[in-house]
Amino acid sequence: ALVLQTGSATSFADWMALKWRHYTILSDNISRRESVSAVAEELASRGVPMAVVSNSTADEVALCLRATGPDLILPVSVSRMDLLRGKPDPEGYLLAAKRLGCTPKPCLVVEDSILGAAAGIAAGMKVLFHPQADTPGGDTTIEHTFFIAPDGDPFPQIEHFTRTGDLF
C-alpha cells in the first residue's frame, strides 16, 4: 500500500485509478507548448521519424497527446508499461530507437525532465533539455545536454541537428 500525504494508505490499483480520474478531468487544461507542437508538425511533414518516451502509462500518454495535438503525427510511443525500468534508465529511449528502426547514435532526445535527460544520455543519444518550467534551484547545466529555456524556441537547435547530426 502507498501512504498518501493525507496519511491514508491506498493500494497501487486505487492510486492508479485516482491518478487516471484526475488526468481525464483535467485533460482539457493540459497546455499545448506551441513551439514544441510546431516543431513536431514541421518535422513530421518532412518525414522525420519521431517517438514519445514517457514514464507515464500508455493511456496517460495517449490522453496527453490527444489533448496537446501531436497524437496523429507521433505514431511511436513508449510508456512505462513497456519497460522493466523507467527513466533515468535508458531502456525507453533504446526501445523507441528500435521501434523507429534506427540505432541510438543518430537520435535526438528533446526532454523536459532531468531524469529523462539522464536517460537520453545513458542511451548514447544527443539530448536537448527543454524544461516546461524553471528547474529546481535554477540548474540549467546538465552535462552532455544542450539547454533551451522554458520560453525558448527549440526549432533552431533541432533544425541544426537534422542538418549536422550535432547540437553544438
Side-chain angles (χ1 to χ4, degrees):
L2 300 169
V3 177
L4 303 176
Q5 286 182 329
T6 61
S8 64
T10 186
S11 70
F12 183 73
D14 289 343
W15 166 249
M16 293 301 290
L18 176 64
K19 183 179 170 189
W20 178 248
R21 277 196 306 278
H22 284 283
Y23 261 73
T24 56
I25 290 167
L26 300 174
S27 66
D28 290 339
N29 297 325
I30 296 173
S31 65
R32 175 181 163 106
R33 291 180 82 182
E34 291 300 329
S35 62
V36 174
S37 295
V39 169
E41 290 165 6
E42 171 62 24
L43 294 174
S45 74
R46 293 191 218 163
V48 174
M50 295 179 286
V52 171
V53 177
S54 177
N55 270 353
S56 296
T57 68
D59 288 340
E60 291 163 354
V61 171
L63 178 71
C64 289
L65 288 175
R66 276 194 309 275
T68 57
D71 58 320
L72 300 177
I73 60 172
L74 295 169
V76 173
S77 69
V78 174
S79 76
R80 179 64 179 94
M81 310 326 266
D82 295 317
L83 309 170
L84 294 175
R85 297 165 302 279
K87 298 174 188 176
D89 191 275
E91 182 185 9
Y93 284 116
L94 295 173
L95 179 57
K98 181 178 178 181
R99 287 182 177 175
L100 290 171
C102 63
T103 62
K105 187 172 170 87
C107 294
L108 172 64
V109 170
V110 180
E111 234 330 316
D112 64 353
S113 76
I114 293 170
L115 288 178
I121 293 165
M125 300 173 177
K126 303 285 187 195
V127 178
L128 191 155
F129 180 49
H130 184 42
Q132 294 187 40
D134 290 331
T135 56
D139 187 15
T140 61
T141 56
I142 300 173
E143 194 172 4
H144 306 296
T145 69
F146 188 92
F147 176 77
I148 301 283
D151 60 350
D153 181 1
F155 188 71
Q157 206 58 44
I158 295 170
E159 181 67 23
H160 176 77
F161 180 83
T162 63
R163 285 192 323 276
T164 67
D166 207 352
L167 285 173
F168 310 103

